[in-house]
């Protein structure tokens, strides 16, 4: 039996590293991904889980030399095009989570311009409640 033609190397990354990769065009969402379907409650629950330090699941990333069409927006922002690296990273699982986190938490490093908003994004975004006793009593849903 021949060895597999792929290599699997799980990597642990901090949240800010993933967000920076998205912002730099190093982590891309392929166009074939299904559209973002989460509602405000699901996005809110994810952010609450993060604030409580609960695990939010793994991401699956495909590293390849193939160049694919990518999503026009992540969350409500338009990221730059793909980086000039010969190896591309495509997010295969975790798009809803990454889009939610990116839209809610990413801010550009000092001196760098913010990413432009996507044309279909709402003009205003609702703020999440700072402290809501109802959310403290709930157990987090799996994401």
């Amino acid at each position: 039996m021949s060895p597999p033609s792929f290599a699997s190397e799980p990597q642990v990354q901090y949240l800010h590293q993933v967000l920076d990769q998205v912002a730099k065009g190093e982590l891309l969402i392929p166009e074939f991904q299904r559209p973002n379907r989460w509602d405000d409650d699901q996005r809110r629950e994810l952010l609450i889980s993060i604030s409580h330090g609960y695990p939010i699941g793994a991401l699956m990333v495909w590293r390849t030399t193939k160049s694919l069409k990518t999503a026009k927006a992540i969350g409500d922002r338009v990221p730059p095009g793909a980086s000039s690296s010969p190896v591309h990273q495509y997010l295969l699982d975790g798009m809803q989570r990454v889009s939610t986190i990116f839209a809610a938490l990413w801010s550009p490093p000092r001196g760098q311009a913010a990413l432009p908003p996507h044309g279909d994004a709402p003009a205003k975004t609702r703020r999440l409640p700072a402290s809501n006793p109802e959310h403290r009593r709930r157990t987090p849903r799996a994401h």
Side-chain angles (χ1 to χ4, degrees), residues 19-129:
L19 299 181
D20 285 345
Q21 286 180 342
V22 171
K24 292 176 183 175
E26 295 170 359
L27 181 58
L28 305 164
I29 297 179
E31 190 176 68
F32 61 75
Q33 280 280 14
R34 64 187 176 95
N36 198 341
R37 299 278 187 216
W38 278 12
D39 61 27
D40 287 345
D41 287 336
Q42 290 169 302
R43 289 188 286 271
R44 185 178 301 111
E45 289 296 324
L46 174 65
L47 296 173
I48 289 168
S49 293
I50 291 169
S51 73
H52 288 139
Y54 300 143
I56 60 167
L59 304 177
M60 183 181 292
V61 176
W62 178 31
R63 290 186 182 102
T64 181
T65 55
K66 293 182 181 186
S67 187
L68 303 176
K69 289 185 178 181
T70 58
K72 293 180 178 73
I74 298 175
D76 66 346
R77 299 289 160 182
V78 178
S83 70
S84 59
S85 171
V87 177
H88 305 288
Q89 298 185 107
Y90 298 102
L91 186 62
L92 298 182
D93 184 45
M95 191 266 297
Q96 308 280 340
R97 288 172 283 152
V98 169
S99 295
T100 296
I101 296 165
F102 187 78
L105 302 179
W106 186 83
S107 61
R110 195 173 267 163
Q112 180 181 331
L115 297 178
H118 184 263
D120 297 334
K124 289 184 175 180
T125 53
R126 294 187 334 195
R127 289 190 155 271
L128 296 176

